[in-house]
Amino acid sequence: MNGLTDTVLKMMDTTQEPEDYKGEDGLLYCGKCHKPKEAYFPKGRALFGRDRHPSECDCRRAEREKREKKDADEKHSAEVERLKREGFSNPAMRHWTFENDNGKCPQIGKAHSYVEKWETVRAENLGYLLWGNVGSGKSYFAGCIANALMEKEIPVCMTNFATILNNTVGFMYSVLIVSFYVSALNFQLVRTVFVNDAKKDFFLFPLCFII
């Protein structure tokens, strides 16, 4: 019990810096922001013989929030890096972003809209069907969507139907879906933005077909 009491008392200690001072209310104040670094227990109560407990001044709060933001930013960067490492077969796809767009694709606004409305897109299983001549920017368009979603920590895999079939051998449902689109569109489906569901092995919607 003494060990526990000592631990609690240490937690209740307030570190006093040289510039700190005692206010008229008897509490310790920060010498920088002039906000209290202590607070009284309500209704005159005491704990382990003490009538006050540590309180964050503005300086300490700013320092804590800065540390928390740094930790959050580092975790976010690590997660985005993992998603892009696993989601792109070609490292060059990392540079297919809205920021690097040359503005020559008039439909790029639709890609922005797809990302902005992602929650609705996912809930309603909405996809994009992209077609055009070689070099018209279809892959870049899809890459912009993929990168933007990954920046939101949404798992995305940019792949092609050959890879999907190789990874889903034995899953008749997947084969039927692929066969349906190939026969219905009568086009060669070259590649797709395949959005992975972390809760399942895979799912095929929403996705972007590129013809």
Side-chain angles (χ1 to χ4, degrees):
M1 179 61 70
N2 289 336
L4 177 60
T5 301
D6 291 341
T7 300
V8 173
L9 289 175
K10 287 182 180 179
M11 293 174 61
M12 295 173 64
D13 286 339
T14 302
T15 303
Q16 181 172 356
E17 304 297 337
E19 64 272 18
D20 295 345
Y21 61 93
K22 287 284 186 178
E24 294 181 358
D25 54 6
L27 296 175
L28 183 66
Y29 279 73
C30 175
K32 295 180 180 179
C33 66
H34 305 291
K35 294 298 175 66
K37 300 177 72 173
E38 298 176 320
Y40 289 112
F41 287 112
K43 299 180 180 180
R45 295 174 181 171
L47 179 64
F48 294 104
R50 298 192 181 184
D51 62 351
R52 64 196 67 190
H53 59 85
S55 178
E56 277 188 326
C57 65
D58 290 349
C59 297
R60 291 294 178 87
R61 183 178 297 105
E63 291 174 0
R64 175 179 56 79
E65 291 175 349
K66 183 178 180 180
R67 289 194 304 270
E68 291 175 349
K69 184 179 184 306
K70 180 181 178 182
D71 291 342
D73 289 345
E74 290 177 351
K75 290 180 180 179
H76 172 71
S77 297
E79 177 63 8
V80 171
E81 171 60 27
R82 182 189 69 81
L83 290 175
K84 293 191 176 186
R85 185 174 61 251
E86 297 177 356
F88 289 134
S89 58
N90 184 348
M93 295 176 178
R94 292 171 175 244
H95 303 291
W96 297 354
T97 65
F98 292 126
E99 292 75 16
N100 294 331
D101 177 48
N102 60 16
K104 293 183 179 180
C105 178
Q107 290 83 20
I108 199 67
K110 296 184 182 298
H112 280 283
S113 177
Y114 191 86
V115 174
E116 293 168 359
K117 299 178 180 178
W118 171 250
E119 294 302 326
T120 300
V121 165
R122 174 162 183 157
E124 299 182 7
N125 281 336
L126 302 177
Y128 270 160
L129 177 63
L130 313 177
W131 71 93
N133 296 327
V134 174
S136 59
K138 302 182 300 297
S139 296
Y140 190 92
F141 183 102
C144 288
I145 293 176
N147 273 291
L149 290 177
M150 289 183 187
E151 290 294 337
K152 295 176 177 286
E153 299 187 15
I154 298 170
V156 175
C157 180
M158 196 157 178
T159 186
N160 53 56
F161 267 128
T163 301
I164 293 174
L165 287 173
N166 288 335
N167 291 338
T168 58
V169 173
F171 290 90
M172 185 57 66
Y173 181 63
S174 298
V175 176
L176 289 174
I177 289 178
V178 173
S179 299
F180 170 78
Y181 275 102
V182 171
S183 60
L185 297 174
N186 196 25
F187 283 101
Q188 180 183 5
L189 299 181
V190 180
R191 60 178 64 88
T192 177
V193 174
F194 176 77
V195 184
N196 181 49
D197 186 345
K199 297 180 180 178
K200 304 176 183 177
D201 292 332
F202 64 90
F203 77 105
L204 292 179
F205 296 96
L207 45 74
C208 294
F209 288 110
I210 304 177
I211 300 175

